[in-house]
Amino acid sequence: MMEWASKRSVIRMNGDKFRRFVKAPPRNYSVVIMFTALQPQRQCGVCKQADEEFQVLANSWRYSSAFTNKVFFATVDFDEGSDVFQMLSMNSAPTFLHFPSKGKPRKTDTYELQVRGFAAEQLARWVADRTDVQIRIIRPPNYAGPLLLGFLLAVIGGLAYLRRHNLEFLFNKNVWAFSALCFVLIMTSGQMWNHIRGPPYAHKNPSTGQVSYIHGSSQAQFVAETHIVLLFNAAVTLGMVLLCEAATSDLDIGKRKSTCTQTQTDCF
């Protein structure tokens, strides 16, 4: 295992390697395995995202000064180890399992992906709970965020400079109301959960190909679910705005009642 780990941080396993180095005792090391379906025909976008985070986790451990043979990271792809999936009665991917050095995996050795998400930091905390190995996540530099923020500030600054003699739009209550409304809709839809937990956009069953956009538990959610909630909240908010506009407009009473009724019908 150390020889393989010296070549690549995440060891690729098939059925034979899994039975030899994971299932067969005795072992003096733990193995954290991501069961995935990365082949293009599986069309598992979530698997690709989870694999990237798993690589970050494994690289952070492999190139750490504290690296030992206490824990290894590996993957089992459905197309390379379908027999392993059948052996473990597994029908979904990605799935993370911890195989301890002694004994059989317990319930807590299955990572709660739908609750915690697949961010490398969350995976590192779970690994620490199961193995007492502390992994400090080190990510490659990403300049996309700062560049985008700088570009946005430059655009805003340029517009303000061009309109430096007429800045009345800064005191327009509609502009501030719209900005505040967008912020409220984003926060109430669950975007903060997405930022903290890093859940997958959706879940695709590699066996049946069925895609789930709504999580089955009330304790977790997918990113797609927050987008659906955002659209619903925006539709209801738009309906309320139209109702207020219809009630205060200069139209005669009959037309205002008709507009209000039509708006209520569209909302519900």
Side-chain angles (χ1 to χ4, degrees), residues 147-168:
L147 288 175
L148 182 61
L149 178 61
F151 176 76
L152 180 62
L153 293 176
V155 171
I156 295 175
L159 292 175
Y161 177 77
L162 292 175
R163 299 194 59 177
R164 60 187 181 278
H165 300 301
N166 183 14
L167 297 177
E168 294 181 0

Side-chain angles (χ1 to χ4, degrees), residues 40-169:
Q41 65 269 20
R42 299 298 174 186
Q43 297 181 352
C44 183
V46 178
C47 293
K48 296 179 181 179
Q49 299 174 33
D51 181 65
E52 292 175 357
E53 292 297 308
F54 194 61
Q55 294 286 343
V56 171
L57 172 67
N59 286 332
S60 298
W61 170 239
R62 172 63 185 84
Y63 297 104
S64 168
S65 59
F67 174 72
T68 64
N69 63 349
K70 187 176 181 179
V71 60
F72 295 96
F73 296 91
T75 60
V76 175
D77 192 86
F78 181 78
D79 290 281
E80 298 177 357
S82 58
D83 54 335
V84 180
F85 277 73
Q86 295 175 2
M87 181 193 310
L88 300 176
S89 300
M90 192 176 302
N91 57 8
S92 63
T95 300
F96 298 91
L97 290 181
H98 167 247
F99 294 86
S101 56
K102 297 180 180 180
K104 296 181 179 180
R106 302 178 180 180
K107 183 179 180 180
T108 50
D109 287 311
T110 300
Y111 181 71
E112 296 176 329
L113 177 65
Q114 315 304 345
V115 177
R116 291 184 166 187
F118 48 69
E121 289 77 9
Q122 294 290 345
L123 289 168
R125 295 189 186 98
W126 172 67
V127 170
D129 291 339
R130 306 311 308 151
T131 65
D132 292 330
V133 171
Q134 304 292 333
I135 302 177
R136 179 174 175 267
I137 299 300
I138 301 176
R139 294 180 178 273
N142 184 0
Y143 302 104
L147 288 175
L148 182 61
L149 178 61
F151 176 76
L152 180 62
L153 293 176
V155 171
I156 295 175
L159 292 175
Y161 177 77
L162 292 175
R163 299 194 59 177
R164 60 187 181 278
H165 300 301
N166 183 14
L167 297 177
E168 294 181 0
F169 69 95

